[in-house]
Structure formats: structure tokens, C-alpha cells
Amino acid sequence: MRPGAVALAVSSLIVLGTGPAAPSLPLPLPLPLPARMAHTGGGTQLITAVAPKRASTTGTVTWWNREDGRWVKRGSAPARFGANGLVAGATREQGTNTTPTGLYGLPYAFGIKAAPRGTAYTYRRVHQDSWWCQDNDSRSYNRWSEPRAADCRAAESEHLITYSPQYAHALVIGFNYQRPVRGRGAGIFLHVHGRGATAGCVSVSEKAMRRILVWADPTRRPHIAVGTQNGSTAVTRL
């Protein structure tokens, strides 16, 4: 090779070695949580209530809208779960202070206080004689009873008006609701925080609960998905 050609080749290598690096492609954005779930209930609104693990008593509630073919987060809030954590809804036992995991409808709302302005959901006011029957021997098991049914023992029921601030506002979670299984559990709600962990419900602040009630649109068939981040009760497996 001629000396001039060697110099040209070396010069070309130097230029190639010091040139600008090729631009890196942007990483794809993670899919929103509802898009990673097996099922969301078929509606266009969804609430997710997610705890880090089954023994957790705290986590996050997030509410979503499906818009233009994709899920969009509309709000979120810190949440509390059962004092004994979470358990698969299909195997839950009443009185265990566990929050049942699963995907559930939201039949109606209720509260000691009036519904927030703009609430579209059916909203039932709590009165002095409003009860939620948890008596396994009653025909009113896992139902609102007003007045308390004769076959529903007071000791096996919740006198709703005595649960303030928890029932200032609430949404009924459709766990064990359509065809109740005795002993599975009754009175599972999304409600306002009490002093600490719940007896099996999901709770958020009163401000968040009011925002959820104004957001929820029954014509969009909202559901709630309760689960953990990973494992057999992962919300993505619902």
C-alpha cells in the first residue's frame, strides 16, 4: 500500500472512532395497571386496591377511566386493608379480619352524610334503624336491613349509624353478594378510614371517598379489583 493510502486509512479510523454515538431509542412506557390485568369487569371505569403483599394492611387505591381505547388514571389515595391482611375471596372465612381479593361489582353507595354533590350512583342514607345483617342464620344475610330483620341478631350485625366516621360515605363491594355463601363473609365496603386497619373492608380518606363517589358513573359499570402486587393474589391475575 502506498504511504498516502496508509495515512488516509488511519485518518478514517480516527474519524470513525471519535464520531457521535448513535442515539438510543426511548424505552417503552409501562402499560397502566388495568391493561395488565386478565379481566376488568367489562366496563369503562375501574378501581384498583393494591397492597404490597398478603400480610399488608396498607396500600393504594386508584381509579381509572377507559378513554379512546386506553386506561387513564383519574386519581389515587393511600388505602388500608384488613387487620390480618388479604386472602383469596373464594376461600375467605367470616370473622377473620381479612380483605377478600378478587374482582367485584359495586352495587350501590350509602352514607351517614348526604351524598357529595354530583354523585350519580344510587345512594342510600343511613338512619337510626339501618343495619347490615351478618347473621349466617338470617334470610337477610349480607344485606341492608331497615329495620333489622326479626331473624337477624343484633350481635351478628352492624348498626350502621354507630360507625362514624367509617360510614360517612361508602360503596358496597359485591363480595359474596349475588349468591351469598354462609360463613364466607358479609359487609365488605369501600369506606372512610377509621382509626387503623379494617375488619376486612378497604378504606381511604373521606376526601378521597368523596372524590370517588363524584367520579363513579354507574352507566360505565365500574368494578373494584382488590389484590396484591405479586403472588397468587396479584391484581394482574384477576
Side-chain angles (χ1 to χ4, degrees):
M1 183 181 292
R2 293 177 291 107
V6 173
L8 180 60
V10 172
S11 175
S12 298
L13 287 173
I14 292 173
V15 171
L16 290 173
T18 58
S24 58
L25 295 175
L27 294 174
L29 294 174
L31 290 173
L33 179 56
R36 292 181 274 125
M37 292 172 55
H39 193 42
T40 58
T44 57
Q45 285 190 329
L46 181 70
I47 299 172
T48 54
V50 184
K53 53 187 179 180
R54 290 179 64 163
S56 300
T57 59
T58 60
T60 304
V61 158
T62 306
W63 47 105
W64 310 79
N65 282 351
R66 188 158 179 82
E67 302 172 3
D68 298 324
R70 61 191 183 95
W71 287 101
V72 178
K73 183 168 76 172
R74 287 304 177 198
S76 66
R80 296 175 185 163
F81 298 93
N84 288 323
L86 297 85
V87 68
T91 58
R92 184 183 186 270
E93 295 181 4
Q94 186 165 325
T96 56
N97 289 340
T98 53
T99 297
T101 64
L103 179 66
Y104 305 107
L106 298 162
Y108 62 91
F110 68 90
I112 295 171
K113 295 182 179 181
R117 182 176 296 178
T119 299
Y121 239 75
T122 298
Y123 190 91
R124 193 167 186 175
R125 287 295 298 274
V126 173
H127 301 111
Q128 187 61 41
D129 58 351
S130 303
W131 295 75
W132 195 276
C133 183
Q134 299 180 353
D135 189 338
N136 282 282
D137 297 324
S138 173
R139 289 173 295 177
S140 299
Y141 179 68
N142 202 19
R143 287 293 185 274
W144 181 295
S145 183
E146 188 176 322
R148 179 171 52 83
D151 68 345
C152 185
R153 292 168 290 174
E156 298 294 328
S157 304
E158 285 192 348
H159 192 196
L160 298 177
I161 204 165
T162 65
Y163 287 86
S164 178
Q166 292 96 322
Y167 298 157
H169 304 292
L171 270 167
V172 176
I173 294 176
F175 166 74
N176 200 31
Y177 189 78
Q178 294 300 328
R179 298 176 181 175
V181 176
R182 310 290 167 151
R184 183 62 49 79
I188 301 299
F189 311 127
L190 173 62
H191 63 66
V192 175
H193 285 326
R195 292 185 177 180
T198 73
C201 297
V202 180
S203 72
V204 293
S205 69
E206 182 171 352
K207 180 180 179 181
M209 194 68 232
R210 293 175 67 89
R211 289 178 62 196
I212 289 170
L213 287 174
V214 173
W215 158 86
D217 181 351
T219 67
R220 301 183 69 169
R221 295 184 297 151
H223 286 68
I224 185 168
V226 183
T228 53
Q229 290 179 357
N230 300 290
S232 61
T233 53
V235 72
T236 50
R237 299 183 65 173
L238 300 179

